[in-house]
Amino acid sequence: MFTVRNPLAGRATVLGPVLAAAGVGLAVTGISVFALQRARILAALPRGASRADIDAALEPVLTSSVTYAAAGIVVLGAIAAAGWYVSRRVYSPLRNLQETAAQVTLADLGARLPDRGKDNFGSLNRTINEMFERLEGSVDVQRQLLDDIRHELKTPLTIVRGHLEIMDATDPVDVQGAREVAMSELDRMSRLIDDIDLLATVEGGGQLSMGVVDLRALTQAVAQRASVISGHTWRVESRARGQVHGDFDRLLQAWLQLADNAAKYTPDESPIEIGSAVDDVRASLWIRDHGPGIPPASRHRVFRRFDRANGQRSVGGSGLGLAIVDAIAKAHGGTCAITETVGGGATFTIEIPIHDQEPAAPAPVRAEDVVTQREVTG
């Protein structure tokens, strides 16, 4: 609940009573003067005075009373006019707000309130316009998300349908091949849906079990799980001694996703280092690989859903892995960054603040960002 104050409202509360008091005062004065003067004049007239003498004596009193009455009517009319004018000025912003809100629909979110300056109604208009802009951006993102998901789900359905159409039902080998393709595509669709659900959950702040996380234990847990990802030599370079406030399982999940990502995009048998560090401000959880690296111009893209810096869709996956990492980092008030490894490669770092901070607002779910990365193995 909030209260909106406007300078015009204050003027209305002062002007209205003043004018009303003036009009009533004139009316009362006119009646009082007429009654007193009439009584005085009638008392002064001799007994048996004619009607003409009485009317002549009362004529000045009647004239003054009419004058007072006319003045009272004029003042009351001024009160009505001033009240009408002030009420229109006071409630005009509310009428504009009502009319603008009535124009806003899902098909048209472009309506905005006029800028009324620096008064309280002007501040209210600007706040509501910002709300409309956020609403419009959110709806656009959701539309794009639905369009992209529709496209991503249509591809496996088309593949399955195509294999079923050309399958020879009398050939067991052909049937088995079509079955394997169908199962593979359905599994991919299931992983995509699970990742979308997970991303929405993390970005919405749900299912986060916040508590004290020991960085040394977290580093050891990541090292143990990453070591089963075949094809690479894993080495722990540093284990931080310290604690952060966070969700152990979500941080473990994000860190393992970085490890899996490094394993997918680097040459077989190349080394990958794991490490953690802590200072007075933040804790850093990093994965360092020695692959082709990521060009600086493309680093902002890899955390978007359904996007890859090198466009390699053949790697597999839903394309949501790094988007989930970024969402988990932001849910902890932190960030995820990419730097170049000395000698070639990329270093992914999750930075989590040591002290309690307000978590950063999650990025809206974009559909152009959701489907191309391999799931965490192990």
Side-chain angles (χ1 to χ4, degrees), residues 255-295:
W255 205 350
L256 280 175
Q257 178 60 54
L258 293 182
D260 181 72
N261 187 76
K264 290 185 300 185
Y265 290 96
T266 55
D268 291 342
E269 306 305 326
S270 62
I272 300 177
E273 292 86 34
I274 300 172
S276 57
V278 63
D279 55 26
D280 294 336
V281 179
R282 67 183 64 84
S284 299
L285 317 174
W286 48 266
I287 293 288
R288 178 190 301 144
D289 67 52
H290 301 273
I294 300 175

Side-chain angles (χ1 to χ4, degrees), residues 134-152:
R134 291 193 298 270
L135 178 62
E136 184 176 19
S138 178
V139 171
D140 289 342
V141 165
Q142 297 305 319
R143 286 172 178 164
Q144 184 65 41
L145 177 62
L146 292 175
D147 289 342
D148 288 353
I149 291 177
R150 185 185 302 116
H151 172 75
E152 294 296 335

Side-chain angles (χ1 to χ4, degrees), residues 116-133:
R116 299 183 60 88
K118 297 183 178 180
D119 62 6
N120 289 330
F121 270 118
S123 177
L124 175 63
N125 284 2
R126 287 188 292 273
T127 301
I128 292 177
N129 284 340
E130 292 173 358
M131 179 192 69
F132 283 152
E133 291 173 1

Side-chain angles (χ1 to χ4, degrees), residues 155-216:
T155 300
L157 290 175
T158 302
I159 293 173
V160 172
R161 182 182 180 86
H163 278 77
L164 291 177
E165 287 178 346
I166 65 174
M167 179 188 69
D168 183 0
T170 63
D171 185 353
V173 176
D174 202 13
V175 171
Q176 180 62 24
R179 178 182 180 278
E180 291 176 355
V181 170
M183 293 298 294
S184 175
E185 292 302 314
L186 291 175
D187 287 343
R188 186 160 69 90
M189 291 172 59
S190 179
R191 290 193 298 268
L192 170 61
I193 294 172
D194 289 343
D195 282 349
I196 291 174
D197 181 63
L198 173 60
L199 184 60
T201 298
V202 174
E203 289 189 336
Q207 297 183 4
L208 288 179
S209 301
M210 305 298 282
V212 176
V213 177
D214 183 82
L215 295 174
R216 187 176 181 85

Side-chain angles (χ1 to χ4, degrees), residues 19-170:
L19 292 177
V24 173
L26 286 173
V28 171
T29 300
I31 295 173
S32 301
V33 168
F34 177 76
L36 292 174
Q37 290 296 330
R38 183 176 183 279
R40 183 180 62 80
I41 292 173
L42 290 177
L45 288 175
R47 290 187 176 184
S50 65
R51 184 65 182 178
D53 293 337
I54 294 175
D55 290 342
L58 293 177
E59 182 177 359
V61 177
L62 181 61
T63 301
S64 62
S65 298
V66 171
T67 302
Y68 277 113
I73 292 173
V74 171
V75 171
L76 291 175
I79 293 173
W84 175 82
Y85 173 77
V86 172
S87 65
R88 283 186 61 86
R89 291 293 303 275
V90 170
Y91 294 107
S92 176
L94 297 180
R95 285 195 299 272
N96 289 338
L97 174 58
Q98 181 182 16
E99 294 169 358
T100 303
Q103 296 173 10
V104 175
T105 64
L106 285 178
D108 181 11
L109 294 167
R112 296 293 184 271
L113 293 167
D115 190 348
R116 299 183 60 88
K118 297 183 178 180
D119 62 6
N120 289 330
F121 270 118
S123 177
L124 175 63
N125 284 2
R126 287 188 292 273
T127 301
I128 292 177
N129 284 340
E130 292 173 358
M131 179 192 69
F132 283 152
E133 291 173 1
R134 291 193 298 270
L135 178 62
E136 184 176 19
S138 178
V139 171
D140 289 342
V141 165
Q142 297 305 319
R143 286 172 178 164
Q144 184 65 41
L145 177 62
L146 292 175
D147 289 342
D148 288 353
I149 291 177
R150 185 185 302 116
H151 172 75
E152 294 296 335
L153 293 179
K154 187 179 295 184
T155 300
L157 290 175
T158 302
I159 293 173
V160 172
R161 182 182 180 86
H163 278 77
L164 291 177
E165 287 178 346
I166 65 174
M167 179 188 69
D168 183 0
T170 63

